[in-house]
């Protein structure tokens, strides 16, 4: 019979603070039971020199975009400049050519990289649905299921945010490269999503949410239908990433994106605005008042030249922030933590912008670590993000003797890890009590890397 397992690192980040000389006790079904003194944990799995923390939650990912990392960092000859929209065309070129197996291979590699970097959950904003000519697969959720299979093979917990995509934009001619994304009717989008939910419900590590892509890609009639559902499942949407999207929204609706969403009754707890960069003050207040989630993806936003999210104003207004690796330009959620604060320092020209001002040594670290854990968990509707009794034992360990951490001391553990640790400091990663990364290695690392390299070569040769 399976029994409780105990893990004994140097310290456990238990219910929001470090406890030294205790073991984390995990039930046979993968939940945290509590901590027990090291002296009573002779049978524990020993993890000397390591700190054990809740696993990071990646709130926004397009796994397959890992394929274009490094391939878009130049200006095309004669173009004069590069921006989001030219990057998007290159991304579409990759998206066009992927078979279901390719989607699996690309996603698995992105997820292996996430696991190795300490992520235990991912919110996959999934918009590749159909064959290259736009006709559905025999199973309309074929590609979503490939992404889910990839996450589950790697061992990650996944919230599949099934995207609804109707059009290229307001008064924008059809882009044939978007055929794989589109559903003809809102009913098709909603029924595919609920089918996927019922087909995956036997796996407790898989959940399904709704993701109308953006105010650009769905008409208001779709958003009204979604608002009528009054669903409690996660509801994610790209919001105000690029100024052009706001101008088009003003032309079509005489309102800015967040103003429109508020009018439609979509803001509130299950709603996450991804990006939310170009906001007026009234929009910041609307997101805060409604306690909406906002997912910042700062390494992608800087890679694409989107702008800087006003995270300080959003937090102050009451919005709940999360973080995502989005385009996979970088897969490192701690780097997202640093970037969300770091970009604000450049813009505001001062330090420690996200510090709540209590004078604690870990003020900024706590704020951004909450985004990477509890904020992400809330946004994805998952009971993770904090190690507490009854919560899933999704955790990560970091080695304090790693060059990026060596010499840190107890009072600085959290800021040292969150603001200083490199990915190589991550040693073990567990999801629902099961170790998926041990001593910095994942069992699928080599086969995944090999098959992924083959795909990348074939795709771009
Ligand atoms: Zn995105």
């Amino acid at each position: 019979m399976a029994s409780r397992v105990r893990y004994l690192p140097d310290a456990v980040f238990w219910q929001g603070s470090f406890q030294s000389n205790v073991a984390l006790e995990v039930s046979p079904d993968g939940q945290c039971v509590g901590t027990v003194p090291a002296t009573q944990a002779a049978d524990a799995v020993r993890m000397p020199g390591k700190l054990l923390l809740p696993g990071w939650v990646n709130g926004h990912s397009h796994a397959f975009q890992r394929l274009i990392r490094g391939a878009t960092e130049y200006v095309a000859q004669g173009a004069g400049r590069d921006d989001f929209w030219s990057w998007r065309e290159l991304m579409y070129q990759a998206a066009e050519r992927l078979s279901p197996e390719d989607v699996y291979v690309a996603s698995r590699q992105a997820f292996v990289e996430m696991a190795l970097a300490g992520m235990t959950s991912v919110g996959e904003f999934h918009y590749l649905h159909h064959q290259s000519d736009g006709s559905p697969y025999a199973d309309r959720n074929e590609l979503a299921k490939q992404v889910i299979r990839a996450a589950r093979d790697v061992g990650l917990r996944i919230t599949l945010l099934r995207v609804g995509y109707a059009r290229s934009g307001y008064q924008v001619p059809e882009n044939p490269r978007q055929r794989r994304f589109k559903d003809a009717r809102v009913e098709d989008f909603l029924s595919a999503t609920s089918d996927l939910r019922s087909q995956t419900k036997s796996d407790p590590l898989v959940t399904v949410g709704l993701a109308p892509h953006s105010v650009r890609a769905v008409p208001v009639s779709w958003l009204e239908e979604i608002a009528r559902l009054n669903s409690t499942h996660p509801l994610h949407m790209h919001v105000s990433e690029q100024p052009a999207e706001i101008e088009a929204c003003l032309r079509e609706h005489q309102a800015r994106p967040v103003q429109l969403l508020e009018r439609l009754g979509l803001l509130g707890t299950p709603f996450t605005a991804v990006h939310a960069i170009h906001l007026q003050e009234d929009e910041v207040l609307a997101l805060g008042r409604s306690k909406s989630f906002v997912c910042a993806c700062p390494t992608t936003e800087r890679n694409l030249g989107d702008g800087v999210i006003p995270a300080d104003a959003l937090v102050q207004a009451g919005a709940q922030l999360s973080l995502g690796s989005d385009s996979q330009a970088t897969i490192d959620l701690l780097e997202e933590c640093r970037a969300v604060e770091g970009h604000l320092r450049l813009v505001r020209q001062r330090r420690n912008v996200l510090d709540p001002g209590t004078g604690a040594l870990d003020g900024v670290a706590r704020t951004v670590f909450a985004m990477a854990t509890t904020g992400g968990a809330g946004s994805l509707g998952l009971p993770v993000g904090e190690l507490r009794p009854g919560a899933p034992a999704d955790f990560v360990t970091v080695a304090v003797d790693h060059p990026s951490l060596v010499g840190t001391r107890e009072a600085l553990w959290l800021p040292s890890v969150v603001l200083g640790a490199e990915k190589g400091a991550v040693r073990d990663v567990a999801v629902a009590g099961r170790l998926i990364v041990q001593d910095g290695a994942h069992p699928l690392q080599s086969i995944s890397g090999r098959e992924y390299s083959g795909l990348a070569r074939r795709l771009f040769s």
Side-chain angles (χ1 to χ4, degrees):
M1 197 183 82
S3 55
R4 291 178 175 184
V5 181
R6 291 162 171 177
Y7 296 96
L8 181 59
D10 285 2
V12 177
F13 197 71
W14 177 252
Q15 295 186 298
S17 61
F18 278 108
Q19 285 188 12
S20 296
N21 302 314
V22 297
L24 173 69
E25 186 166 270
V26 176
S27 68
D29 62 350
Q31 292 185 345
C32 297
V33 178
T35 57
V36 289
T39 49
Q40 295 166 31
D43 57 343
V45 177
R46 290 182 185 275
M47 297 173 148
K50 294 173 180 174
L51 304 175
L52 188 153
L53 301 105
W56 344 137
V57 178
N58 188 356
H60 186 73
S61 155
H62 308 284
F64 82 88
Q65 291 182 11
R66 171 66 181 79
L67 279 165
I68 59 166
R69 182 188 293 169
T72 62
E73 310 299 325
Y74 72 104
V75 177
Q77 201 168 21
R81 52 168 280 164
D82 192 49
D83 61 19
F84 172 89
W85 306 101
S86 45
W87 168 87
R88 196 182 70 163
E89 281 306 304
L90 284 165
M91 182 271 285
Y92 284 177
Q93 279 179 33
E96 222 170 19
R97 289 137 109 175
L98 301 174
S99 71
E101 187 62 19
D102 295 343
V103 168
Y104 169 79
V105 167
S107 303
R108 183 181 58 182
Q109 181 57 29
F111 295 150
V112 165
E113 192 177 344
M114 287 176 201
L116 289 168
M119 288 165 236
T120 48
S121 300
V122 60
E124 177 66 19
F125 196 99
H126 175 77
Y127 57 86
L128 268 183
H129 304 312
H130 310 305
Q131 303 183 61
S132 299
D133 65 358
S135 56
Y137 288 97
D139 177 348
R140 283 197 307 152
N141 285 315
E142 170 71 32
L143 298 183
K145 288 178 184 167
Q146 295 293 347
V147 174
I148 291 171
R149 177 165 74 96
R152 298 301 301 113
D153 283 357
V154 171
L156 292 184
R157 192 183 291 277
I158 183 170
T159 298
L160 195 294
L161 300 153
R162 206 281 187 188
V163 169
Y165 205 106
R167 60 179 198 177
S168 299
Y170 174 59
Q171 295 177 337
V172 175
E174 196 189 336
N175 182 340
R177 290 201 156 129
Q178 294 164 342
R179 280 189 295 230
R180 299 194 83 174
F181 318 160
K182 288 182 183 171
D183 291 311
R185 305 170 311 156
V186 68
E187 293 80 14
D188 299 330
F189 159 49
L190 296 175
S191 64
T193 308
S194 55
D195 287 352
L196 186 63
R197 184 172 294 125
S198 55
Q199 288 159 4
T200 54
K201 71 168 187 286
S202 62
D203 188 340
L205 301 190
V206 178
T207 50
V208 175
L210 282 172
H213 182 276
S214 55
V215 294
R216 171 183 62 73
V218 292
V220 77
S221 61
W222 283 39
L223 295 174
E224 286 166 347
E225 190 59 34
I226 292 161
R228 262 195 293 278
L229 290 177
N230 233 336
S231 165
T232 54
H233 299 290
L235 175 62
H236 284 222
M237 200 165 170
H238 290 133
V239 177
S240 301
E241 179 175 12
Q242 284 280 327
E245 171 199 343
I246 292 156
E247 288 153 26
C249 189
L250 280 165
R251 277 202 307 280
E252 182 176 13
H253 303 292
Q254 295 73 53
R256 297 169 61 89
V258 176
Q259 295 169 342
L260 174 68
L261 297 172
E262 184 179 39
R263 194 163 82 201
L264 292 169
L266 282 167
L267 301 187
T269 302
F271 185 79
T272 298
V274 181
H275 303 305
I277 291 170
H278 303 284
L279 303 177
Q280 284 186 172
E281 196 188 350
D282 65 293
E283 294 177 290
V284 170
L285 296 176
L287 287 165
R289 207 167 39 237
S290 59
K291 300 272 179 256
S292 295
F293 290 94
V294 173
C295 186
C297 308
T299 69
T300 291
E301 289 150 5
R302 79 180 173 216
N303 183 278
L304 298 180
D306 290 336
V308 174
I309 181 170
D312 47 352
L314 284 162
V315 168
Q316 198 174 14
Q320 310 181 70
L321 267 71
S322 61
L323 298 169
S325 66
D326 192 2
S327 70
Q328 329 298 359
T330 304
I331 293 182
D332 183 350
L333 219 62
L334 297 183
E335 175 58 23
E336 304 297 339
C337 287
R338 288 155 210 164
V340 74
E341 160 72 23
H343 296 173
L344 284 173
R345 293 188 190 188
L346 293 171
V347 171
R348 310 277 186 250
Q349 296 180 28
R350 59 189 178 90
R351 302 190 70 247
N352 297 316
V353 181
L354 292 172
D355 191 312
T358 61
L361 288 173
D362 59 4
V364 171
R366 274 190 182 271
T367 304
V368 293
F369 192 59
M371 297 177 189
T373 52
T374 50
S379 163
L380 298 179
L382 300 174
V384 300
E386 188 183 48
L387 301 175
R388 56 184 153 72
D394 288 19
F395 65 79
V396 52
T397 69
V398 294
V400 285
D401 63 354
H402 186 269
S404 63
L405 288 174
V406 73
T408 185
R409 60 180 194 274
E410 189 165 348
L412 295 180
W413 277 342
L414 196 67
S416 298
V417 171
V418 176
L419 303 169
E422 290 170 7
K423 285 202 280 188
V426 171
R427 302 314 296 159
D428 311 287
V429 178
V431 174
R434 186 172 78 84
L435 286 169
I436 62 168
V437 169
Q438 278 181 281
D439 275 329
H442 189 285
L444 292 181
Q445 214 168 322
S446 67
I447 186 167
S448 173
R450 208 164 48 242
E451 292 183 4
Y452 175 80
S453 300
L455 166 64
R457 261 198 306 278
R458 181 164 55 74
L459 210 57
F460 296 107
S461 59

